[in-house]
Every structure is written in C-alpha cells, then in structure tokens.
C-alpha cells in the first residue's frame, strides 16, 4: 500500500509538471492547432534528421545542391508523371513499362546514393554517371525492342549476353547502395545455385544451367529482373507510394495524429494508446515501419515519457504499433500488391481477408500497453488539453475523402492502379478546394511538385528490391528449388503443421531482419508457401502468414530497425527497446497461427480458382472471440498483470490457455475463458480485501 501511495504521489507530481508546461491558451485554439502545444519546445524533433539516422535508405542519401539537385528533381517529377499518365490512360507493354520504371529508379538511385562511405556526399562521381549510361543502354534496349525479346525465347546473341551480364551486375550494385548488401548477397547465392546445381548435396542437386541460360533467363524473360515483382512495382506499388506522398502534403498525417490524441489521450494508457491508434492510421498509408515510427513517434514518445513511461518502453510502444501498419488495410505495404499477383487473388479480397488479423494485432499491442499503464498506475491527459474529435472532423474531416474514395473504387471493381490514380486526383482536388476556401496557401503548386518528387524518390528502394528479388524468383522457377525446399521443411517437421508453421515463422523473421519486407515476402512466397500448402493450409492464409512475420522482423533484435528508430527518439538503449517492442507485440504472435489453422479468422470459406468465397461475419465470430481470449491470456501472462500483478501459477495457466487457443475449439475456448475469467475474479476479490483492510 505504501508503495502504491508513493507511486500515486510521483504520478501526481509528474502530472503537475505536465500541466505547468502547457501554454496558456483557449480550448478553441488547442482544438484548432492540435496537440503540439502539449510538447515542450526543446522536445520538438527534426523528423528528417531522425529518418536519416535510422532509415537504411535515408541514411545514405547525398545532399546535392544547385543544378544537380534540380536535375534529380526533374527526373523524379518525370518518373511520377510517366506513372500517372500510364495509370490513367493505360500501361505500356510489360517489357516497356517495367524497363522504363527501372531506368528511372536506377538513375535516381545512382544520383542519390553514393558507392561507399568515402564517396562524395555532394555530387555523383564519374563512375555513377557511367553506370547511369549503362542503365539507359541495357534497359533501353529492352524498351526499344520488346517484341524481339519475347520472340527470342532465351536464344541470346552475344550482344544480349553482354547487356544481360551488365544488367545483372548493375541491378546488384544499385540495390546494394540503396537497400543494403544483404539482398544482393542472397541473390548471388541463388544465382550460384543455378550454375553449380550438380555439385549440390542430396535433394538440392539439379542438372545445372549454363551462364548463357542463366543470363538470358534473368535479363530477357519475364521471370527475372523484368519479372512479377518489378511489374507490380511499376504499376500498383508506385501509384500507392505516390498516393501516400500526396496525402502527406495535404496534411492527413497530422490530422491522424490529432484524431488519435482526441480519441484516446484521456485514457489511463493515454499517449501510449494514442501511439497505437495514430500508428495504425498512418501505417495503413505509409507502408514503412521506420517512417511510421519517426513520423508519429516525434509526437507520441515525448508525451509518453512525460506521463510516466520509461524511455525504452515509450520507444518500444511506438515501434510495435508502427510496424503493424504494413498489414493494416486499406493500403498496407508493397508486399500486399505482389501477393495479389502471385496468388491471382484480387487486391480487394486480400485487404478484406487481412482486416481482422490487422485489427487483432493492434488490439494485442493496445492490450499490452493498457496493462503496463495499469501496472504503473499511470493516468491520461486531461480532456481539456486534448483536441475534440468532433471539432477535428468538422474542420479537417475532408482530408479523409481520398482514403474513403480509394476503398470505394476498389469495391467498385477498379484495378488497384486505377483506384490509386483516381484517389490521387481526388486528393489534389480536395487540397486545392480547401486551400481556396481557407485562403491559407496550405497546398500550392510547389507542394504538388513536391509530392511528385517525394513519390518517385520513395519508390526507388522498392523498385531496386523488386528487381533483385525477381532474379531470386527466376532461379526458383528455373531450378524448381521451391518444391525442394517445401519437401525439406515438411520432412524436418515430420508433417506436423504446427512445427511447419513454427519453422516458417523463424525463417520469415530471420530473413526479415536483413531484407526489406517486399523482398522477404517474395523469397518466402516461392519457397515456404508451397510447404504450407502441401499441409493443406489455405492459400491466402499461407501468404498472409509469411507476410505477418516478415513485418514483425522490424521489431525483432538483433536487427530491429523500427525499434532502433524509437530508441533514438526516446533516448533509450536500442537493444533494450528492441526486446521490449518484441514483448509488446508478442501477444499478436498468436493471430497468424490461428488463421493458418482456421481460415475462418480471415473469413475465407473457400477459394475457387482465383476467387475467394467469404463467409458471413457471424460465422467467423467464434474464431475471432477465441483469438481475443488468446490475446488477453497471453498479454496478461507476458505482462504479469491483469487487474493486479499475477502470481506464478496464474501466469502459467494464462500462458497455457493462450497456447491451447492456437487451435480454437469448444474445449480449448472453454478452458481459456475459465482461466481468464477465473483469474479476473480472484484478483478482483483480492483487491476488495486489500481495500477493506
């Protein structure tokens, strides 16, 4: 009791300090300005600087000035204009659309990313300009002669081989600069496997392929550099990245953050729950764990620290919440669009299936955050210091129109590319009309050009990753490696589904530590998914399973980029923040196991060809409730708190209940419910006894 009183006094003192730090202004002014006035001036953070510090791509960027900077801007605007035009008026032939997309991406990449640490950070070297010329020649050759490429059928001439080798080496080098060395290394290993097939052991052995065959397959066909990943990057992905850039310029990110504060800031878990909600909003359109962490974390992490959360926990909350954005509809991350191409299932059906698991992920993270706040005895921010949701909707609710429109267009049967194109046009129209009405210059022609530039530059990393991952897919299709790996996984797991899922989860997390989510998904979609399907896991559930755990890799030490970004903002230990972020998200680990075993959680009745037959929501409700019970049990076990601290017996029972609920059923559900409700009632009785004493 004395400890509790001491904690209450500390919280009261902290709350008093918070109140003293708030500027004196009217409630109306606060509602208009949002939440920044709660943050002290000395805690305002430079988002661009944070991105450079913790984002792999942003940290390497050159800082060019003058004519060179203008040239890059013009090229980026031209790239976005090209993609906008083809989205609205029809894409080019596959070879042409993809090759021009790569030319743009590689040129921008070579301009912005130096070859090494000792390279100039102010201007490209002569080698960079030479490589730009190589990109124009080798991929321009494909652009100019697409029919010949298709008709040759792999019968490469000497010129084709020279250009092909140059294209492969160039792709690996630009990807190394932009994304990092891990993905090119993986690609080199796969290319070596294609050549040294006869020397491989056991089931991995194959007849081997000549250098000519490998190069022609990677360069001239549509199963290598020009494969499905690049095709998706050149259409769906680019348009949605550009859509996100336009939303950012119109101020929707700031609106989301203010809305989240207004909705949840007053709760016991206050700013931490706000981080969860705001990151869910932002992540659904940003598709980047690190960018999401930095953008929303610049506001939420200082507030969490002010209200009593330890720095490492504040950074971890933001990282865990931001990471889930890549699985949150309506936009999700780039991998979702590639999933649509790999499976043949429409993007609309994918986001419908992904919706419940995404909500459950945030429910799990929110539960962990709430339990931590309860354990610490924290309090939320007084309502009078928060923006009112109703006022925000009245003043800035129009910013949601583009997001609503993109969902409408998808439901109406538009392709993702066309839906994104229309939504971009609507976002521009909405921004211009709002600016004219307000007369505040909030969206200018400069902002329009800035969005075009930001969209193109933001797509470079994805384009490079997709081009390189395309070669990995090419090796898999050429050698039949996917089926061999599937057989190995099933054999090692001895046909046990749970073990197979566990091995796949581990592979997803390990690959996700070094590879971007998009590349990781592509690799596992061709290698691990066949093993899951062999054990009769639903096709869509199998793909969502590997996507889910590949995303979680962003908060899994030792390489947890989102967690490290959160630690940088919070001023905490990076590794400690990473393990805490993993702990916060741990309750969410139960979700993909449930939908892999029971596709009712993603509401899938059956898949007929490429069409998903969804079941009524009411039919999926029992499995959803099982997942909720499992999340609550695991969260309470991990956090060692339900409505008071749990003892060892309660923790063991709660953990056991959570594990049993991986495979929902009447008996497991009943056991989980009894354990959860029983623990709650026992703890409530204990609280009453202490209060009475």
């Amino acid at each position: 009791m004395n400890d509790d009183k001491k904690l209450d006094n500390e919280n009261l003192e902290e709350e008093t300090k918070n109140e003293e730090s708030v500027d004196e202004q009217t409630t109306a002014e606060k509602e208009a300005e949002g939440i920044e006035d709660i943050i002290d001036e000395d805690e305002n953070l430079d988002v661009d600087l944070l991105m450079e510090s913790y984002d792999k791509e942003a940290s390497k960027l050159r800082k060019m000035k003058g004519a060179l900077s203008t040239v890059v801007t013009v090229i980026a605007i031209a790239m976005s204009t090209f993609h906008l035009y083809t989205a609205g008026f029809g894409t080019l032939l596959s070879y042409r659309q993809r090759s021009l997309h790569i030319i743009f991406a590689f040129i921008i990449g070579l301009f912005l990313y130096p070859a090494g640490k000792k390279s100039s950070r102010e201007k490209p070297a002569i080698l960079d300009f030479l490589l730009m010329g190589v990109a124009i020649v080798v991929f321009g050759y494909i652009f100019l002669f697409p029919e010949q490429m298709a008709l040759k059928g792999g019968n490469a001439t000497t010129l084709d081989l020279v250009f092909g080798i140059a294209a492969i080496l160039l792709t690996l080098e630009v990807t190394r600069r932009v994304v990092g060395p891990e993905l090119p290394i993986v690609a080199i290993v796969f290319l070596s496997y294609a050549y040294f097939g006869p020397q491989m052991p056991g089931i991995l052995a194959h007849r081997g392929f000549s250098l000519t065959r490998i190069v022609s397959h990677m360069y001239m066909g549509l199963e290598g550099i020009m494969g499905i990943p690049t095709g998706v990057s050149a259409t769906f992905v680019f348009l949605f990245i550009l859509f996100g850039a336009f939303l950012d310029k119109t101020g929707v990110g700031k609106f989301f953050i203010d809305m989240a504060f207004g909705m949840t800031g007053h709760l016991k878990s206050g700013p931490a729950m706000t981080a969860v909600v705001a990151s869910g909003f932002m992540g659904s359109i940003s598709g980047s764990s690190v960018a999401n962490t930095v953008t929303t974390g610049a506001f939420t992490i200082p507030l969490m620290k002010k209200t009593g959360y330890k720095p490492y926990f504040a950074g971890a909350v933001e990282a865990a919440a931001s990471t889930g954005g890549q699985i949150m509809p309506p936009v999700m991350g780039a991998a979702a669009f590639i999933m649509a191409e790999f499976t043949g299932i429409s993007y609309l059906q994918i986001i419908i299936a992904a919706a419940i698991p995404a909500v459950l992920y945030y429910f799990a993270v929110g539960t962990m955050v709430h339990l931590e706040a309860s354990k610490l005895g924290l309090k939320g921010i007084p309502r009078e210091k928060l923006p009112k949701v109703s006022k925000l909707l009245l003043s800035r609710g129009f910013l949601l129109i583009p997001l609503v429109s993109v969902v409408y267009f998808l439901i109406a049967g538009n392709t993702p590319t066309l839906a994104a194109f229309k939504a971009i046009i609507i976002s521009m129209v909405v921004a211009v009309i709002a600016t004219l009405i307000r007369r505040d210059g909030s969206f200018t022609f400069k902002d329009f050009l800035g969005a075009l530039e930001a969209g193109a530059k933001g797509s470079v990393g994805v384009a490079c990753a997709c081009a390189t991952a395309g070669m990995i897919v090419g090796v898999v299709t050429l050698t039949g490696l996917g089926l061999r790996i599937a057989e190995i996984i099933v054999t090692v797991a001895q046909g046990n589904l749970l073990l197979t899922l566990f091995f796949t989860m581990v592979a997803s997390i390990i690959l996700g530590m070094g590879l971007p989510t998009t590349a990781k998904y592509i690799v596992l979609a061709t290698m691990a998914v066949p093993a899951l399907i062999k054990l009769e896991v639903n096709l869509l559930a199998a793909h969502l399973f590997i996507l889910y755990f590949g995303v979680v890799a962003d908060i899994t030490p030792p390489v947890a980029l989102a967690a490290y970004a959160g630690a940088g903002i919070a001023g905490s230990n990076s590794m400690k923040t990473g393990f805490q972020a993993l702990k916060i998200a741990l309750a969410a680990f139960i979700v993909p196991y449930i939908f892999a075993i029971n596709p009712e959680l993603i509401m899938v009745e059956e898949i007929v060809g490429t069409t998903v037959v969804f079941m009524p929501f009411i039919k999926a409700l029992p499995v959803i409730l099982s997942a909720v019970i499992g999340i609550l049990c695991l969260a309470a076990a991990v956090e060692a708190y339900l409505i008071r601290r749990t003892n060892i017996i309660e923790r063991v029972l709660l953990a056991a209940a959570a594990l049993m609920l991986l495979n929902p059923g009447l008996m497991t559900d009943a056991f989980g419910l009894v354990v959860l409700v029983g623990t709650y009632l026992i703890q409530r009785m204990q609280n009453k006894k202490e209060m009475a004493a």
Side-chain angles (χ1 to χ4, degrees), residues 238-421:
F238 186 94
L239 265 293
F240 275 91
I241 291 174
L242 187 60
F243 178 49
F246 272 98
L247 289 179
D248 180 60
K249 292 294 182 183
T250 60
V252 74
K254 173 66 172 57
F255 172 66
F256 280 158
I257 292 171
D258 287 346
M259 280 287 293
F261 272 110
M263 292 166 61
T264 62
H266 65 283
L267 298 175
K268 182 185 296 185
S269 47
M273 193 64 74
T274 295
V276 176
V277 175
S279 298
F281 286 155
M282 283 293 293
S284 68
I285 60 171
S286 75
S288 168
S289 302
V290 176
N292 198 6
T293 300
V294 170
T295 304
T296 56
F299 292 93
T300 59
I301 291 174
L303 279 170
M304 279 188 268
K305 289 168 64 179
K306 282 178 176 292
T307 50
Y309 288 99
K310 293 178 181 178
Y312 73 88
F313 189 87
V317 168
E318 181 57 54
S322 294
T323 296
Q326 292 187 72
I327 57 172
M328 175 60 78
V331 178
M332 302 175 67
F337 299 100
I338 296 173
M339 187 188 300
E341 288 295 300
F342 275 13
T343 62
I345 297 169
S346 73
Y347 179 69
L348 176 62
Q349 292 177 320
I350 287 173
I351 63 175
I352 291 172
I356 292 174
V359 171
L360 288 173
Y361 176 92
Y362 278 98
F363 172 73
V365 173
T367 299
M368 294 288 288
V369 164
H370 182 76
L371 293 179
E372 177 72 12
S374 300
K375 187 164 65 174
L376 294 176
L378 302 181
K379 295 181 180 180
I381 300 169
R383 284 183 181 273
E384 61 270 16
K385 296 179 182 177
L386 297 168
K388 287 187 178 178
V389 173
S390 58
K391 293 291 181 72
L392 287 171
L393 287 172
L394 285 173
S395 62
R396 287 185 278 164
F398 64 88
L399 293 172
L400 294 174
I401 293 174
L403 267 178
V404 174
S405 68
V406 77
V407 176
Y408 169 77
F409 292 134
L410 288 170
I411 293 173
N414 289 249
T415 64
T417 303
L418 188 57
F421 171 76

Side-chain angles (χ1 to χ4, degrees), residues 165-235:
I165 292 171
I168 291 170
L169 294 175
L170 179 64
T171 301
L172 293 172
E173 168 58 12
V174 180
T175 304
R176 180 193 68 81
R177 294 189 186 194
V178 178
V179 179
E182 297 87 359
L183 182 56
I185 289 171
V186 173
I188 291 170
V189 170
F190 272 75
L191 290 170
S192 301
Y193 173 76
Y195 185 80
F196 293 107
Q199 284 76 47
M200 293 293 107
I203 194 173
L204 292 176
H206 61 89
R207 65 186 180 87
F209 296 89
S210 67
L211 183 64
T212 300
R213 181 76 179 92
I214 294 170
V215 171
S216 63
H217 190 75
M218 298 302 146
Y219 175 64
M220 299 172 63
L222 291 177
E223 291 186 338
I225 297 173
M226 295 287 117
I228 287 176
T230 298
V232 176
S233 175
T235 50

Side-chain angles (χ1 to χ4, degrees), residues 149 241 265 270 303 347 394 398 406 425 451 473 480 491 513 523 526 530:
M149 288 290 169
I241 291 174
L303 279 170
Y347 179 69
L394 285 173
F398 64 88
V406 77
I425 300 301
V473 175
T491 302
M513 289 179 190
V523 172
T526 55

